[in-house]
Amino acid sequence: MIIKGFSTAMYGWHERFRFDRREASWDEIFRECAAAGMNAVEIDPEPELVSLARMYGLSVSGAYIGLNLHEQAIPFEESIMPLARRLAE
């Protein structure tokens, strides 16, 4: 296996800020992710967040989609496809 970098989800970072009683800002989180040696982050790749992450040399490696599995039908086009398109871009 060839490792191309390291990525992180945001839950742990938000919890760390909460535990330290610090107000979490994306700017600070991305700066600290980069300082910790991360190459990428898992975020909803909204253009503003992607731009900010790139300022710190971070890429977007994935995004979280939470689905209500107890529903009869999953609104695929409305809930999954917009995020998938942003990731592809």
Side-chain angles (χ1 to χ4, degrees):
M1 175 171 41
I2 299 172
I3 297 173
K4 295 184 178 183
F6 297 93
S7 180
T8 184
M10 296 290 95
Y11 177 77
W13 293 93
H14 284 285
E15 284 300 297
R16 180 79 251 170
F17 273 70
R18 187 182 65 78
F19 182 78
D20 292 342
R21 296 177 188 203
R22 295 168 41 197
E23 187 68 34
S25 74
W26 286 114
D27 188 64
E28 279 189 90
I29 291 173
F30 291 157
R31 184 177 60 241
E32 291 188 20
C33 285
M38 295 295 112
N39 304 101
V41 291
E42 294 179 7
I43 58 170
D44 184 338
E46 296 172 350
E48 303 82 28
L49 285 180
V50 172
S51 178
L52 185 59
R54 285 184 179 154
M55 285 177 42
Y56 292 101
L58 300 168
S59 298
V60 177
S61 62
Y64 175 79
I65 298 176
L67 300 172
N68 294 323
L69 298 178
H70 62 278
E71 297 292 332
Q72 290 289 340
I74 295 173
F76 187 78
E77 284 297 323
E78 297 83 24
S79 62
I80 296 173
M81 288 308 294
L83 181 58
R85 286 186 186 100
R86 288 192 298 275
L87 277 172
E89 291 171 0

